[in-house]
Short mmCIF file of all heavy atoms in Angstrom, two decimals:
data_model
loop_
_atom_site.label_atom_id
_atom_site.label_comp_id
_atom_site.label_asym_id
_atom_site.label_seq_id
_atom_site.Cartn_x
_atom_site.Cartn_y
_atom_site.Cartn_z
N ASP F 190 -100.70 59.98 -121.92
CA ASP F 190 -101.64 58.81 -122.41
C ASP F 190 -101.29 57.57 -121.58
O ASP F 190 -102.13 56.97 -120.97
CB ASP F 190 -101.67 58.63 -123.87
CG ASP F 190 -102.41 59.63 -124.63
OD1 ASP F 190 -103.25 60.41 -124.09
OD2 ASP F 190 -102.27 59.87 -125.80
N THR F 191 -100.01 57.34 -121.60
CA THR F 191 -99.53 56.04 -121.00
C THR F 191 -99.89 56.09 -119.51
O THR F 191 -100.35 54.93 -119.01
CB THR F 191 -98.04 55.89 -121.12
OG1 THR F 191 -97.63 55.95 -122.50
CG2 THR F 191 -97.51 54.57 -120.57
N HIS F 192 -99.74 57.13 -118.71
CA HIS F 192 -99.90 57.15 -117.37
C HIS F 192 -101.23 57.78 -116.94
O HIS F 192 -101.42 57.91 -115.73
CB HIS F 192 -98.73 57.82 -116.71
CG HIS F 192 -97.50 57.10 -116.91
ND1 HIS F 192 -97.11 55.93 -116.27
CD2 HIS F 192 -96.32 57.28 -117.78
CE1 HIS F 192 -95.91 55.43 -116.75
NE2 HIS F 192 -95.50 56.32 -117.64
N GLU F 193 -102.09 58.03 -117.85
CA GLU F 193 -103.37 58.62 -117.67
C GLU F 193 -103.31 59.91 -116.88
O GLU F 193 -104.03 60.04 -115.77
CB GLU F 193 -104.37 57.50 -116.93
CG GLU F 193 -104.59 56.38 -117.92
CD GLU F 193 -105.50 55.45 -117.43
OE1 GLU F 193 -106.01 55.56 -116.29
OE2 GLU F 193 -105.93 54.42 -118.10
N LEU F 194 -102.54 60.77 -117.21
CA LEU F 194 -102.17 61.99 -116.45
C LEU F 194 -102.96 63.21 -117.26
O LEU F 194 -103.03 63.21 -118.56
CB LEU F 194 -100.85 62.40 -116.41
CG LEU F 194 -99.92 61.32 -115.65
CD1 LEU F 194 -98.47 61.78 -115.87
CD2 LEU F 194 -100.25 61.13 -114.38
N ALA F 195 -103.40 64.29 -116.65
CA ALA F 195 -103.75 65.53 -117.28
C ALA F 195 -102.59 66.28 -117.70
O ALA F 195 -101.46 66.13 -117.14
CB ALA F 195 -104.59 66.32 -116.38
N SER F 196 -102.61 66.87 -118.92
CA SER F 196 -101.55 67.64 -119.55
C SER F 196 -101.96 69.09 -119.41
O SER F 196 -102.77 69.64 -120.08
CB SER F 196 -101.50 67.25 -121.03
OG SER F 196 -101.05 68.35 -121.92
N VAL F 197 -101.34 69.75 -118.28
CA VAL F 197 -101.72 71.21 -118.08
C VAL F 197 -100.70 72.02 -118.87
O VAL F 197 -99.41 71.84 -118.75
CB VAL F 197 -101.53 71.40 -116.51
CG1 VAL F 197 -101.73 72.94 -116.23
CG2 VAL F 197 -102.52 70.49 -115.73
N ASN F 198 -101.24 72.78 -119.78
CA ASN F 198 -100.42 73.54 -120.82
C ASN F 198 -100.06 74.88 -120.40
O ASN F 198 -100.80 75.72 -120.38
CB ASN F 198 -101.09 73.57 -122.11
CG ASN F 198 -101.66 72.16 -122.42
OD1 ASN F 198 -102.77 72.05 -122.88
ND2 ASN F 198 -100.90 71.18 -122.17
N ARG F 199 -98.75 75.13 -120.03
CA ARG F 199 -98.15 76.47 -119.83
C ARG F 199 -97.76 77.07 -121.12
O ARG F 199 -97.41 76.43 -122.07
CB ARG F 199 -97.08 76.44 -118.72
CG ARG F 199 -95.92 75.42 -119.01
CD ARG F 199 -94.90 75.76 -118.03
NE ARG F 199 -94.16 74.57 -117.43
CZ ARG F 199 -93.15 73.94 -117.92
NH1 ARG F 199 -92.71 74.30 -119.15
NH2 ARG F 199 -92.65 72.94 -117.28
N GLY F 200 -97.72 78.40 -121.08
CA GLY F 200 -97.34 79.17 -122.31
C GLY F 200 -98.16 78.94 -123.50
O GLY F 200 -97.84 78.90 -124.62
N PRO F 201 -99.57 78.80 -123.21
CA PRO F 201 -100.47 78.31 -124.27
C PRO F 201 -100.53 79.51 -125.45
O PRO F 201 -100.92 79.27 -126.65
CB PRO F 201 -101.81 78.13 -123.67
CG PRO F 201 -101.77 79.02 -122.39
CD PRO F 201 -100.33 78.82 -121.98
N LEU F 202 -100.19 80.75 -125.06
CA LEU F 202 -100.31 81.85 -125.91
C LEU F 202 -98.92 82.37 -126.29
O LEU F 202 -98.59 83.44 -126.83
CB LEU F 202 -101.25 83.03 -125.38
CG LEU F 202 -102.55 82.59 -124.98
CD1 LEU F 202 -103.25 83.85 -124.24
CD2 LEU F 202 -103.38 82.22 -126.22
N ALA F 203 -97.97 81.48 -126.12
CA ALA F 203 -96.47 81.63 -126.46
C ALA F 203 -96.17 83.15 -125.76
O ALA F 203 -95.54 83.80 -126.41
CB ALA F 203 -96.29 81.72 -127.99
N MET F 204 -96.59 83.15 -124.54
CA MET F 204 -96.26 84.38 -123.64
C MET F 204 -96.76 85.60 -124.24
O MET F 204 -96.19 86.64 -124.12
CB MET F 204 -94.64 84.46 -123.39
CG MET F 204 -94.09 83.26 -122.69
SD MET F 204 -92.40 83.43 -122.15
CE MET F 204 -92.66 84.22 -120.57
N GLY F 205 -97.92 85.57 -125.01
CA GLY F 205 -98.53 86.64 -125.44
C GLY F 205 -98.38 86.82 -127.05
O GLY F 205 -99.15 87.43 -127.69
N LEU F 206 -97.39 86.18 -127.55
CA LEU F 206 -97.02 86.40 -129.05
C LEU F 206 -98.23 85.93 -129.87
O LEU F 206 -98.55 86.52 -130.88
CB LEU F 206 -95.69 85.55 -129.27
CG LEU F 206 -95.09 85.74 -130.70
CD1 LEU F 206 -93.68 85.73 -130.89
CD2 LEU F 206 -95.55 84.52 -131.56
N LEU F 207 -98.79 84.79 -129.49
CA LEU F 207 -99.96 84.34 -130.20
C LEU F 207 -101.11 85.15 -130.28
O LEU F 207 -102.12 84.74 -131.01
CB LEU F 207 -100.22 82.86 -129.67
CG LEU F 207 -99.41 81.67 -130.20
CD1 LEU F 207 -99.62 80.37 -129.44
CD2 LEU F 207 -99.87 81.41 -131.84
N THR F 208 -101.24 86.07 -129.39
CA THR F 208 -102.38 87.02 -129.45
C THR F 208 -102.43 87.95 -130.58
O THR F 208 -103.34 88.54 -130.95
CB THR F 208 -102.57 87.90 -128.16
OG1 THR F 208 -101.42 88.84 -128.12
CG2 THR F 208 -102.48 86.92 -126.94
N GLY F 209 -101.15 88.05 -131.32
CA GLY F 209 -101.08 88.82 -132.44
C GLY F 209 -100.84 90.33 -132.09
O GLY F 209 -100.70 91.14 -132.98
N LYS F 210 -100.71 90.72 -130.86
CA LYS F 210 -100.52 92.12 -130.52
C LYS F 210 -99.13 92.53 -130.60
O LYS F 210 -98.90 93.83 -130.46
CB LYS F 210 -101.31 92.53 -129.18
CG LYS F 210 -100.59 91.89 -127.97
CD LYS F 210 -101.32 92.19 -126.77
CE LYS F 210 -100.65 91.60 -125.65
NZ LYS F 210 -101.38 91.78 -124.40
N TYR F 211 -98.21 91.63 -130.66
CA TYR F 211 -96.79 92.04 -130.69
C TYR F 211 -96.30 91.81 -132.22
O TYR F 211 -96.53 90.75 -132.76
CB TYR F 211 -95.94 91.19 -129.86
CG TYR F 211 -96.38 91.50 -128.36
CD1 TYR F 211 -96.85 90.49 -127.48
CD2 TYR F 211 -96.21 92.70 -127.85
CE1 TYR F 211 -97.28 90.74 -126.30
CE2 TYR F 211 -96.56 93.01 -126.49
CZ TYR F 211 -97.15 91.99 -125.76
OH TYR F 211 -97.52 92.26 -124.40
N GLY F 212 -95.69 92.76 -132.79
CA GLY F 212 -95.06 92.70 -134.24
C GLY F 212 -93.55 92.96 -134.13
O GLY F 212 -93.07 93.07 -133.01
N PRO F 213 -92.96 93.03 -135.30
CA PRO F 213 -91.52 93.04 -135.34
C PRO F 213 -90.86 94.25 -134.61
O PRO F 213 -89.80 94.20 -134.15
CB PRO F 213 -91.22 93.13 -136.76
CG PRO F 213 -92.44 92.90 -137.56
CD PRO F 213 -93.52 92.97 -136.53
N ASP F 214 -91.69 95.25 -134.53
CA ASP F 214 -91.21 96.55 -133.85
C ASP F 214 -91.44 96.68 -132.33
O ASP F 214 -91.17 97.62 -131.76
CB ASP F 214 -91.78 97.82 -134.48
CG ASP F 214 -91.35 97.86 -136.12
OD1 ASP F 214 -90.24 97.36 -136.30
OD2 ASP F 214 -92.12 98.35 -136.96
N SER F 215 -92.26 95.67 -131.83
CA SER F 215 -92.62 95.64 -130.46
C SER F 215 -91.30 95.61 -129.67
O SER F 215 -90.46 94.73 -129.83
CB SER F 215 -93.56 94.67 -130.10
OG SER F 215 -94.79 94.66 -130.94
N ARG F 216 -91.29 96.34 -128.46
CA ARG F 216 -90.19 96.24 -127.57
C ARG F 216 -90.83 96.12 -126.16
O ARG F 216 -91.59 96.97 -125.68
CB ARG F 216 -89.39 97.47 -127.51
CG ARG F 216 -88.16 97.49 -126.64
CD ARG F 216 -87.03 96.59 -127.01
NE ARG F 216 -85.97 96.43 -126.28
CZ ARG F 216 -85.86 95.69 -125.16
NH1 ARG F 216 -86.76 95.13 -124.66
NH2 ARG F 216 -84.66 95.62 -124.55
N LEU F 217 -90.60 94.96 -125.50
CA LEU F 217 -91.16 94.72 -124.15
C LEU F 217 -90.45 95.55 -123.02
O LEU F 217 -89.29 95.77 -123.17
CB LEU F 217 -91.29 93.26 -123.80
CG LEU F 217 -92.32 92.41 -124.41
CD1 LEU F 217 -93.66 92.80 -123.83
CD2 LEU F 217 -92.47 92.50 -125.93
N PRO F 218 -91.24 96.07 -121.99
CA PRO F 218 -90.58 96.88 -121.03
C PRO F 218 -89.60 96.09 -120.29
O PRO F 218 -89.63 94.87 -120.06
CB PRO F 218 -91.77 97.31 -120.15
CG PRO F 218 -93.01 96.79 -120.75
CD PRO F 218 -92.65 95.96 -121.77
N MET F 219 -88.55 96.77 -119.67
CA MET F 219 -87.48 96.01 -119.06
C MET F 219 -87.88 95.50 -117.72
O MET F 219 -87.18 94.67 -116.99
CB MET F 219 -86.36 97.09 -118.75
CG MET F 219 -85.52 97.40 -120.05
SD MET F 219 -84.93 95.96 -120.90
CE MET F 219 -83.41 95.63 -119.89
N ASP F 220 -89.02 95.86 -117.17
CA ASP F 220 -89.44 95.28 -115.81
C ASP F 220 -90.26 93.99 -116.08
O ASP F 220 -90.86 93.45 -115.18
CB ASP F 220 -90.21 96.28 -114.97
CG ASP F 220 -91.53 96.62 -115.57
OD1 ASP F 220 -91.73 96.53 -116.80
OD2 ASP F 220 -92.20 97.32 -114.73
N ASP F 221 -90.43 93.61 -117.40
CA ASP F 221 -91.18 92.39 -117.88
C ASP F 221 -90.26 91.38 -118.10
O ASP F 221 -89.24 91.49 -118.69
CB ASP F 221 -91.97 92.88 -119.00
CG ASP F 221 -92.94 91.73 -119.42
OD1 ASP F 221 -92.59 90.69 -119.78
OD2 ASP F 221 -94.19 92.22 -119.70
N VAL F 222 -90.64 90.14 -117.68
CA VAL F 222 -89.70 88.97 -117.90
C VAL F 222 -89.38 88.85 -119.33
O VAL F 222 -88.30 88.36 -119.60
CB VAL F 222 -90.35 87.64 -117.33
CG1 VAL F 222 -91.58 87.34 -118.11
CG2 VAL F 222 -89.40 86.48 -117.36
N ARG F 223 -90.23 89.27 -120.26
CA ARG F 223 -90.02 89.23 -121.62
C ARG F 223 -88.95 90.28 -122.15
O ARG F 223 -88.47 90.33 -123.21
CB ARG F 223 -91.25 89.20 -122.45
CG ARG F 223 -92.18 88.11 -122.23
CD ARG F 223 -93.64 88.39 -122.66
NE ARG F 223 -94.16 89.49 -122.00
CZ ARG F 223 -95.44 89.94 -122.16
NH1 ARG F 223 -96.23 89.30 -123.05
NH2 ARG F 223 -95.98 90.88 -121.34
N GLY F 224 -88.85 91.43 -121.43
CA GLY F 224 -88.08 92.56 -121.69
C GLY F 224 -86.59 92.40 -121.74
O GLY F 224 -85.84 92.82 -122.57
N ASP F 225 -86.20 91.61 -120.58
CA ASP F 225 -84.78 91.30 -120.41
C ASP F 225 -84.62 89.83 -120.50
O ASP F 225 -84.38 89.13 -119.57
CB ASP F 225 -84.29 91.81 -119.09
CG ASP F 225 -82.86 91.71 -118.80
OD1 ASP F 225 -82.16 91.36 -119.84
OD2 ASP F 225 -82.37 92.08 -117.73
N SER F 226 -85.06 89.21 -121.75
CA SER F 226 -85.41 87.82 -121.80
C SER F 226 -84.26 86.93 -121.37
O SER F 226 -83.17 87.02 -121.87
CB SER F 226 -85.68 87.55 -123.34
OG SER F 226 -86.04 88.69 -124.03
N PRO F 227 -84.60 85.96 -120.48
CA PRO F 227 -83.53 85.10 -120.03
C PRO F 227 -83.24 84.03 -121.12
O PRO F 227 -84.04 83.92 -122.19
CB PRO F 227 -84.22 84.30 -118.86
CG PRO F 227 -85.59 84.62 -118.91
CD PRO F 227 -85.83 85.79 -119.75
N ALA F 228 -82.14 83.36 -121.06
CA ALA F 228 -81.63 82.40 -122.21
C ALA F 228 -82.75 81.33 -122.46
O ALA F 228 -82.86 81.05 -123.67
CB ALA F 228 -80.41 81.80 -121.80
N TRP F 229 -83.53 80.82 -121.54
CA TRP F 229 -84.45 79.82 -121.80
C TRP F 229 -85.60 80.27 -122.71
O TRP F 229 -86.32 79.46 -123.19
CB TRP F 229 -84.92 79.09 -120.52
CG TRP F 229 -85.60 80.05 -119.60
CD1 TRP F 229 -84.99 80.58 -118.43
CD2 TRP F 229 -86.91 80.59 -119.55
NE1 TRP F 229 -85.80 81.38 -117.76
CE2 TRP F 229 -87.06 81.45 -118.39
CE3 TRP F 229 -88.08 80.34 -120.33
CZ2 TRP F 229 -88.22 82.12 -118.08
CZ3 TRP F 229 -89.18 81.05 -120.03
CH2 TRP F 229 -89.25 81.85 -118.91
N MET F 230 -85.74 81.49 -122.82
CA MET F 230 -87.03 81.97 -123.50
C MET F 230 -86.90 81.84 -124.96
O MET F 230 -85.89 82.37 -125.52
CB MET F 230 -87.32 83.41 -123.10
CG MET F 230 -88.72 83.86 -123.40
SD MET F 230 -88.96 85.49 -122.66
CE MET F 230 -89.15 85.17 -120.95
N THR F 231 -87.94 81.29 -125.72
CA THR F 231 -87.75 80.98 -127.07
C THR F 231 -88.63 82.08 -127.94
O THR F 231 -88.26 82.50 -129.00
CB THR F 231 -88.15 79.65 -127.50
OG1 THR F 231 -89.40 79.37 -126.90
CG2 THR F 231 -87.24 78.65 -127.11
N PHE F 232 -89.83 82.46 -127.24
CA PHE F 232 -90.72 83.31 -128.07
C PHE F 232 -90.29 84.78 -128.09
O PHE F 232 -90.81 85.46 -128.98
CB PHE F 232 -92.15 83.06 -127.60
CG PHE F 232 -92.57 81.64 -127.71
CD1 PHE F 232 -92.78 80.87 -126.61
CD2 PHE F 232 -92.71 81.02 -129.07
CE1 PHE F 232 -93.17 79.51 -126.84
CE2 PHE F 232 -93.11 79.75 -129.11
CZ PHE F 232 -93.35 78.91 -128.06
N PHE F 233 -89.62 85.18 -127.13
CA PHE F 233 -89.02 86.50 -127.13
C PHE F 233 -87.58 86.53 -126.94
O PHE F 233 -87.09 85.73 -126.23
CB PHE F 233 -89.72 87.35 -125.99
CG PHE F 233 -91.09 87.65 -126.22
CD1 PHE F 233 -92.09 86.68 -125.87
CD2 PHE F 233 -91.57 88.85 -126.68
CE1 PHE F 233 -93.54 86.90 -126.17
CE2 PHE F 233 -92.97 89.12 -127.01
CZ PHE F 233 -93.92 88.19 -126.69
N LYS F 234 -86.90 87.30 -127.75
CA LYS F 234 -85.45 87.43 -127.67
C LYS F 234 -84.99 88.74 -127.60
O LYS F 234 -85.59 89.64 -128.36
CB LYS F 234 -84.75 86.73 -128.96
CG LYS F 234 -84.81 85.11 -128.92
CD LYS F 234 -83.85 84.51 -127.98
CE LYS F 234 -84.03 82.97 -127.91
NZ LYS F 234 -83.76 82.29 -126.67
N ASP F 235 -84.06 89.14 -126.71
CA ASP F 235 -83.68 90.56 -126.62
C ASP F 235 -84.86 91.55 -126.54
O ASP F 235 -84.82 92.62 -127.13
CB ASP F 235 -82.67 90.98 -127.71
CG ASP F 235 -81.55 90.02 -127.77
OD1 ASP F 235 -80.96 89.70 -126.79
OD2 ASP F 235 -81.19 89.57 -129.01
N GLY F 236 -85.85 91.09 -125.82
CA GLY F 236 -86.94 91.95 -125.54
C GLY F 236 -87.97 92.16 -126.62
O GLY F 236 -88.87 92.99 -126.61
N ARG F 237 -87.90 91.33 -127.77
CA ARG F 237 -88.59 91.47 -128.95
C ARG F 237 -89.19 90.12 -129.20
O ARG F 237 -88.52 89.10 -128.97
CB ARG F 237 -87.87 92.00 -130.08
CG ARG F 237 -87.32 93.39 -129.95
CD ARG F 237 -86.70 93.93 -131.14
NE ARG F 237 -86.00 95.21 -130.98
CZ ARG F 237 -86.59 96.39 -130.91
NH1 ARG F 237 -87.91 96.43 -131.14
NH2 ARG F 237 -85.97 97.48 -130.77
N PRO F 238 -90.43 90.06 -129.81
CA PRO F 238 -90.84 88.76 -130.22
C PRO F 238 -89.90 88.11 -131.30
O PRO F 238 -89.37 88.78 -132.12
CB PRO F 238 -92.21 89.08 -130.97
CG PRO F 238 -92.32 90.58 -131.11
CD PRO F 238 -91.24 91.16 -130.22
N ALA F 239 -89.62 86.77 -131.28
CA ALA F 239 -88.71 86.23 -132.13
C ALA F 239 -89.27 86.07 -133.57
O ALA F 239 -90.37 85.55 -133.68
CB ALA F 239 -88.41 84.74 -131.47
N PRO F 240 -88.54 86.67 -134.60
CA PRO F 240 -89.10 86.74 -135.81
C PRO F 240 -89.49 85.46 -136.43
O PRO F 240 -90.61 85.41 -137.16
CB PRO F 240 -87.86 87.30 -136.73
CG PRO F 240 -86.92 87.93 -135.80
CD PRO F 240 -87.10 87.30 -134.36
N GLU F 241 -88.90 84.35 -136.18
CA GLU F 241 -89.27 83.04 -136.83
C GLU F 241 -90.60 82.60 -136.27
O GLU F 241 -91.48 82.09 -137.01
CB GLU F 241 -88.33 82.05 -136.44
CG GLU F 241 -87.92 81.48 -135.05
CD GLU F 241 -86.98 82.34 -134.34
OE1 GLU F 241 -86.74 83.46 -134.69
OE2 GLU F 241 -86.35 81.75 -133.46
N PHE F 242 -90.99 82.93 -135.04
CA PHE F 242 -92.36 82.65 -134.47
C PHE F 242 -93.49 83.55 -134.99
O PHE F 242 -94.50 83.22 -135.26
CB PHE F 242 -92.26 82.59 -133.01
CG PHE F 242 -91.51 81.44 -132.42
CD1 PHE F 242 -90.36 81.65 -131.89
CD2 PHE F 242 -92.02 80.14 -132.64
CE1 PHE F 242 -89.55 80.55 -131.29
CE2 PHE F 242 -91.22 79.05 -132.17
CZ PHE F 242 -90.06 79.27 -131.64
#
Side-chain angles (χ1 to χ4, degrees):
D190 282 341
T191 304
H192 297 284
E193 300 188 352
L194 303 174
S196 150
V197 178
N198 312 132
R199 52 171 136 88
L202 302 176
M204 301 190 85
L206 183 141
L207 273 167
T208 66
K210 68 183 178 185
Y211 297 114
D214 298 328
S215 304
R216 180 76 179 81
L217 277 294
M219 287 304 279
D220 67 345
D221 186 304
V222 65
R223 298 163 293 184
D225 189 5
S226 338
W229 55 262
M230 197 173 287
T231 51
F232 299 111
F233 289 83
K234 289 283 178 211
D235 302 321
R237 296 183 187 282
E241 65 271 30
F242 289 110

